[in-house]
């Protein structure tokens, strides 16, 4: 009966994941199709109920984070999460909050495992506990990275539009006003990055270096083109941004194909990364001794090493394909 219940749970989770993947692909393709005809988000009050709840939860997390601020090691580890924070979120988010969320997720995953053991859904075993611990640590970071990649994709889709605004206004006003117009007219993700450029300029960082920092945060190849052109000629901004606009007209024509290919490759990569863990988890839950013959046999260990090698090569190939399409 316990195995039957777990099978139903795994089937339900699999269906939810499949549904979300299909929905994400459909939404992504639809967004690409209508993005050029949509109105700016700045014209609407787009603060959702979910965002308000998220704001409250992050404030609570921030209170807990005050206990971790004294740790230099945790503060150093938290620096990698700075890229996930928008300027408008800096009032209630800090990098250390992400470490706090991971610790909370880790504790909850262990408690969930202990609850399932006490409920006799399955018996205690150390491998299953390790899997729950890994999931508790990895899942929050995976979620944030997916959201960050979605943000970068949105920035990439709106980049050409921002260059049009800059090119149209740079001859009429100075660079500060042109950048400010981009911040006012475009949506939060790309507006946030242009606001960071304005902040960089206020600290006497050159426009070239500001766009270089923009590229380092997002790794969007078209932005690298901008700062390279600015590095060649940053004195005549009007001509430089006109050249940038001409270059981006070529990139913009490839956006639909690029986004579709990116979505497909991302789905393939996620599926093949999660598939081995899902199979091991399922088999371990149903029969802990299932893999004994594999681990106690030389040929079994060799086969496992070959499988791991094939998966590493496959995921590396997918990543290279994703880089090549850029």
């Amino acid at each position: 009966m316990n195995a039957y219940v777990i099978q139903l749970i795994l089937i339900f989770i699999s269906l939810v994941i499949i549904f979300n993947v299909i929905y994400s692909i459909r939404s992504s393709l639809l967004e690409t199709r209508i993005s050029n005809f949509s109105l700016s988000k700045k014209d609407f009050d787009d603060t959702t109920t979910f965002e308000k709840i998220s704001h409250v939860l992050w404030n609570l997390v921030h209170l807990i984070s005050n206990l971790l601020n004294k740790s230099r090691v945790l503060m150093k580890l938290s620096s990698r999460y700075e890229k996930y924070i928008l300027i408008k979120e800096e009032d209630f988010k800090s990098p250390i909050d992400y470490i706090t969320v991971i610790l909370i997720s880790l504790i909850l995953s262990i408690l969930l495992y202990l609850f399932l053991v006490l409920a006799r859904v399955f018996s205690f075993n150390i491998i299953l506990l390790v899997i729950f611990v890994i999931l508790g640590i990895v899942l929050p970071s995976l979620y944030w990275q997916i959201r960050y990649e979605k943000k970068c994709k949105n920035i990439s889709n709106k980049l050409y539009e921002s260059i049009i605004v800059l090119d149209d206004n740079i001859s009429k006003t100075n660079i500060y006003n042109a950048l400010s117009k981009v911040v006012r007219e475009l949506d939060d993700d790309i507006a946030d990055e242009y606001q960071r450029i304005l902040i960089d300029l206020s600290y006497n960082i050159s426009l070239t270096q500001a766009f270089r920092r923009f590229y380092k945060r997002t790794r969007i190849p078209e932005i690298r083109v901008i700062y390279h052109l600015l590095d060649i000629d940053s004195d005549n901004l009007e001509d430089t941004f006109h050249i940038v606009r001409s270059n981006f007209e070529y990139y913009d024509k490839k956006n639909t194909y690029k986004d579709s290919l990116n979505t497909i490759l991302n789905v393939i990569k996620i599926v093949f990364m999660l598939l081995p863990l899902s199979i091991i988890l399922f088999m371990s839950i149903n029969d802990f001794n299932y893999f004994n013959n594999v681990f106690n046999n030389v040929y079994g260990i060799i086969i496992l090493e070959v499988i791991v090698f094939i998966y590493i090569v496959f995921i590396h190939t997918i990543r290279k394909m994703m880089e090549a399409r850029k």
Side-chain angles (χ1 to χ4, degrees), residues 274-313:
L274 295 179
L275 186 60
L277 183 61
S278 302
I279 294 174
I280 293 172
L281 178 62
F282 178 77
M283 294 302 183
S284 297
I285 290 173
N286 284 277
D287 183 4
F288 180 65
N289 297 319
Y290 186 86
F291 292 101
N292 279 353
N293 292 332
V294 176
F295 290 112
N296 294 328
N297 189 296
V298 176
Y299 297 106
I301 294 175
I302 293 174
I303 291 173
L304 283 176
E305 291 176 350
V306 171
I307 291 173
V308 170
F309 175 76
I310 291 173
Y311 263 92
I312 291 174
V313 171

Coordinates of all heavy atoms in Angstrom, one line a residue, residues 274-313:
L274 N 17.4 15.8 -14.4 CA 16.6 15.3 -13.4 C 16.2 13.8 -13.5 O 15.9 13.2 -12.5 CB 15.3 16.1 -13.3 CG 15.5 17.6 -12.9 CD1 14.1 18.3 -12.9 CD2 16.1 17.8 -11.6
L275 N 16.3 13.3 -14.7 CA 15.9 11.9 -14.9 C 16.7 10.9 -14.1 O 16.1 10.0 -13.4 CB 16.0 11.6 -16.4 CG 15.5 10.2 -16.9 CD1 14.0 10.1 -16.6 CD2 15.7 10.0 -18.4
P276 N 18.0 10.9 -14.0 CA 18.7 9.9 -13.2 C 18.4 10.0 -11.8 O 18.1 8.9 -11.1 CB 20.2 10.3 -13.4 CG 20.3 11.0 -14.7 CD 19.0 11.8 -14.7
L277 N 18.3 11.2 -11.2 CA 17.9 11.3 -9.8 C 16.5 10.8 -9.5 O 16.3 10.2 -8.5 CB 18.0 12.8 -9.4 CG 17.8 13.1 -7.9 CD1 18.8 12.4 -7.0 CD2 17.8 14.6 -7.7
S278 N 15.6 11.1 -10.5 CA 14.2 10.6 -10.3 C 14.1 9.1 -10.3 O 13.4 8.5 -9.5 CB 13.3 11.2 -11.4 OG 13.4 12.6 -11.5
I279 N 14.9 8.5 -11.2 CA 14.9 7.0 -11.3 C 15.4 6.4 -10.0 O 14.9 5.5 -9.4 CB 15.6 6.5 -12.5 CG1 14.9 6.9 -13.8 CG2 15.8 5.0 -12.5 CD1 15.7 6.6 -15.1
I280 N 16.6 6.9 -9.5 CA 17.2 6.4 -8.3 C 16.3 6.6 -7.1 O 16.1 5.7 -6.3 CB 18.6 7.1 -8.1 CG1 19.6 6.7 -9.2 CG2 19.1 6.8 -6.7 CD1 20.9 7.5 -9.1
L281 N 15.7 7.8 -7.0 CA 14.7 8.1 -5.9 C 13.6 7.1 -5.9 O 13.2 6.5 -4.9 CB 14.2 9.5 -6.0 CG 13.2 10.0 -5.0 CD1 13.8 9.9 -3.6 CD2 12.7 11.4 -5.2
F282 N 13.0 6.9 -7.1 CA 11.8 6.0 -7.2 C 12.2 4.5 -6.8 O 11.5 3.9 -6.1 CB 11.3 6.0 -8.7 CG 10.1 5.1 -8.9 CD1 8.9 5.4 -8.5 CD2 10.3 3.9 -9.5 CE1 7.8 4.6 -8.7 CE2 9.3 3.0 -9.8 CZ 8.0 3.4 -9.3
M283 N 13.3 4.0 -7.3 CA 13.8 2.7 -7.1 C 14.1 2.5 -5.6 O 13.8 1.5 -5.0 CB 15.0 2.3 -7.9 CG 14.6 2.2 -9.4 SD 13.3 1.1 -9.8 CE 13.2 1.2 -11.6
S284 N 14.8 3.5 -5.0 CA 15.2 3.4 -3.6 C 14.0 3.4 -2.7 O 14.0 2.7 -1.6 CB 16.1 4.6 -3.2 OG 17.3 4.6 -4.0
I285 N 12.9 4.2 -3.0 CA 11.7 4.2 -2.2 C 11.0 2.8 -2.2 O 10.6 2.3 -1.2 CB 10.8 5.3 -2.7 CG1 11.4 6.7 -2.3 CG2 9.4 5.1 -2.0 CD1 10.6 7.8 -2.9
N286 N 10.9 2.2 -3.4 CA 10.2 1.0 -3.5 C 11.0 -0.2 -3.0 O 10.5 -1.2 -2.5 CB 9.8 0.7 -5.0 CG 8.7 1.6 -5.4 OD1 7.5 1.2 -5.2 ND2 9.0 2.8 -6.0
D287 N 12.3 -0.2 -3.3 CA 13.2 -1.4 -2.8 C 14.6 -0.9 -2.6 O 15.3 -0.6 -3.6 CB 13.1 -2.5 -3.9 CG 13.9 -3.7 -3.4 OD1 14.4 -3.7 -2.3 OD2 14.0 -4.7 -4.2
F288 N 14.9 -0.7 -1.4 CA 16.3 -0.1 -1.1 C 17.4 -1.0 -1.5 O 18.5 -0.6 -1.8 CB 16.4 0.1 0.5 CG 17.7 0.7 0.9 CD1 18.1 1.9 0.5 CD2 18.6 -0.1 1.7 CE1 19.3 2.5 0.8 CE2 19.8 0.5 2.1 CZ 20.1 1.8 1.6
N289 N 17.2 -2.3 -1.6 CA 18.2 -3.3 -2.1 C 18.3 -3.4 -3.6 O 19.0 -4.3 -4.1 CB 17.9 -4.6 -1.4 CG 18.0 -4.6 0.1 OD1 18.9 -3.9 0.6 ND2 17.1 -5.3 0.8
Y290 N 17.5 -2.6 -4.3 CA 17.4 -2.8 -5.8 C 18.8 -2.6 -6.4 O 19.1 -3.4 -7.4 CB 16.5 -1.7 -6.3 CG 16.2 -1.9 -7.8 CD1 15.2 -2.7 -8.2 CD2 16.9 -1.1 -8.7 CE1 14.9 -2.8 -9.6 CE2 16.7 -1.3 -10.1 CZ 15.7 -2.1 -10.5 OH 15.4 -2.3 -11.8
F291 N 19.6 -1.7 -5.9 CA 20.9 -1.4 -6.6 C 22.1 -2.2 -5.9 O 23.2 -1.9 -6.3 CB 21.2 0.1 -6.5 CG 20.3 0.9 -7.4 CD1 19.2 1.6 -6.8 CD2 20.5 1.0 -8.7 CE1 18.4 2.4 -7.5 CE2 19.6 1.7 -9.5 CZ 18.6 2.4 -8.9
N292 N 21.8 -3.1 -5.0 CA 22.9 -3.8 -4.4 C 23.8 -4.6 -5.4 O 25.0 -4.6 -5.3 CB 22.3 -4.8 -3.3 CG 22.0 -4.1 -2.0 OD1 22.3 -3.0 -1.9 ND2 21.3 -4.8 -1.1
N293 N 23.1 -5.3 -6.3 CA 23.9 -6.1 -7.3 C 24.8 -5.2 -8.2 O 25.8 -5.6 -8.6 CB 22.9 -6.8 -8.2 CG 22.2 -7.9 -7.5 OD1 22.7 -8.5 -6.5 ND2 21.0 -8.2 -7.9
V294 N 24.3 -3.9 -8.4 CA 25.2 -3.0 -9.2 C 26.4 -2.6 -8.4 O 27.5 -2.6 -8.9 CB 24.3 -1.8 -9.6 CG1 25.2 -0.8 -10.3 CG2 23.1 -2.2 -10.5
F295 N 26.2 -2.1 -7.1 CA 27.3 -1.6 -6.3 C 28.3 -2.7 -5.9 O 29.4 -2.4 -5.5 CB 26.8 -0.8 -5.1 CG 26.1 0.5 -5.5 CD1 24.7 0.6 -5.3 CD2 26.8 1.5 -6.0 CE1 24.1 1.8 -5.7 CE2 26.2 2.7 -6.4 CZ 24.8 2.8 -6.2
N296 N 27.8 -3.9 -5.8 CA 28.7 -5.0 -5.3 C 29.3 -5.8 -6.5 O 29.9 -6.8 -6.3 CB 27.9 -6.0 -4.5 CG 27.4 -5.3 -3.2 OD1 28.0 -4.5 -2.7 ND2 26.2 -5.8 -2.7
N297 N 29.3 -5.2 -7.7 CA 29.8 -5.9 -8.8 C 30.7 -5.0 -9.6 O 30.4 -3.8 -9.8 CB 28.7 -6.4 -9.7 CG 29.1 -7.3 -10.8 OD1 29.9 -6.9 -11.7 ND2 28.7 -8.6 -10.8
V298 N 31.9 -5.4 -10.0 CA 32.9 -4.6 -10.7 C 32.3 -4.1 -12.0 O 32.4 -2.9 -12.4 CB 34.2 -5.4 -11.0 CG1 35.1 -4.5 -11.8 CG2 34.8 -5.8 -9.7
Y299 N 31.6 -5.0 -12.7 CA 31.0 -4.6 -14.0 C 29.9 -3.6 -13.8 O 29.7 -2.7 -14.6 CB 30.5 -5.8 -14.8 CG 31.6 -6.8 -15.1 CD1 31.7 -8.0 -14.5 CD2 32.5 -6.5 -16.2 CE1 32.7 -8.9 -14.8 CE2 33.5 -7.4 -16.5 CZ 33.6 -8.6 -15.8 OH 34.6 -9.5 -16.2
G300 N 29.2 -3.7 -12.7 CA 28.1 -2.8 -12.4 C 28.6 -1.4 -12.2 O 28.1 -0.4 -12.7
I301 N 29.8 -1.3 -11.4 CA 30.4 0.0 -11.2 C 30.9 0.6 -12.5 O 30.8 1.8 -12.7 CB 31.5 -0.2 -10.1 CG1 30.9 -0.6 -8.8 CG2 32.3 1.1 -10.0 CD1 32.0 -0.9 -7.7
I302 N 31.5 -0.2 -13.3 CA 32.0 0.3 -14.6 C 30.9 0.8 -15.4 O 31.0 1.9 -16.1 CB 32.7 -0.8 -15.4 CG1 34.0 -1.2 -14.6 CG2 33.1 -0.4 -16.8 CD1 34.7 -2.4 -15.2
I303 N 29.7 0.1 -15.5 CA 28.6 0.6 -16.2 C 28.1 1.9 -15.7 O 27.7 2.8 -16.4 CB 27.4 -0.5 -16.2 CG1 27.9 -1.7 -17.0 CG2 26.1 0.1 -16.7 CD1 26.9 -2.9 -16.9
L304 N 28.0 2.0 -14.3 CA 27.6 3.3 -13.7 C 28.5 4.5 -14.1 O 28.1 5.6 -14.4 CB 27.6 3.2 -12.2 CG 26.4 2.4 -11.6 CD1 26.6 2.3 -10.1 CD2 25.1 3.2 -11.9
E305 N 29.8 4.2 -14.1 CA 30.8 5.2 -14.5 C 30.6 5.6 -16.0 O 30.7 6.8 -16.3 CB 32.2 4.7 -14.3 CG 32.6 4.6 -12.8 CD 34.0 4.0 -12.6 OE1 34.6 3.5 -13.6 OE2 34.4 4.0 -11.4
V306 N 30.3 4.7 -16.8 CA 30.1 5.0 -18.2 C 28.8 5.8 -18.4 O 28.8 6.8 -19.2 CB 30.0 3.7 -19.1 CG1 29.5 4.0 -20.5 CG2 31.3 2.9 -19.1
I307 N 27.8 5.5 -17.6 CA 26.5 6.2 -17.7 C 26.7 7.7 -17.3 O 26.3 8.6 -17.9 CB 25.4 5.5 -16.9 CG1 25.0 4.2 -17.5 CG2 24.2 6.4 -16.7 CD1 24.1 3.4 -16.6
V308 N 27.4 7.8 -16.1 CA 27.7 9.2 -15.6 C 28.5 10.0 -16.7 O 28.2 11.1 -16.9 CB 28.5 9.1 -14.3 CG1 29.0 10.5 -13.9 CG2 27.6 8.5 -13.2
F309 N 29.5 9.3 -17.3 CA 30.3 10.0 -18.3 C 29.5 10.4 -19.5 O 29.6 11.6 -20.0 CB 31.5 9.1 -18.8 CG 32.3 9.6 -19.9 CD1 33.2 10.6 -19.6 CD2 32.1 9.2 -21.2 CE1 34.0 11.1 -20.7 CE2 32.9 9.7 -22.2 CZ 33.8 10.7 -22.0
I310 N 28.6 9.5 -19.9 CA 27.7 9.9 -21.1 C 26.8 11.0 -20.7 O 26.6 12.0 -21.6 CB 26.9 8.6 -21.5 CG1 27.8 7.5 -22.1 CG2 25.8 9.0 -22.5 CD1 27.1 6.2 -22.4
Y311 N 26.3 11.1 -19.5 CA 25.4 12.2 -19.1 C 26.2 13.5 -19.1 O 25.7 14.5 -19.5 CB 24.7 11.9 -17.8 CG 23.3 11.3 -18.0 CD1 23.1 9.9 -18.0 CD2 22.2 12.2 -18.1 CE1 21.8 9.4 -18.2 CE2 21.0 11.6 -18.2 CZ 20.8 10.3 -18.3 OH 19.5 9.8 -18.5
I312 N 27.4 13.4 -18.5 CA 28.2 14.7 -18.5 C 28.5 15.2 -19.9 O 28.4 16.4 -20.1 CB 29.5 14.4 -17.7 CG1 29.2 14.1 -16.2 CG2 30.5 15.6 -17.8 CD1 30.4 13.7 -15.4
V313 N 28.9 14.3 -20.8 CA 29.1 14.7 -22.2 C 27.9 15.3 -22.8 O 27.9 16.3 -23.5 CB 29.7 13.5 -23.0 CG1 29.8 13.9 -24.5 CG2 31.1 13.1 -22.5

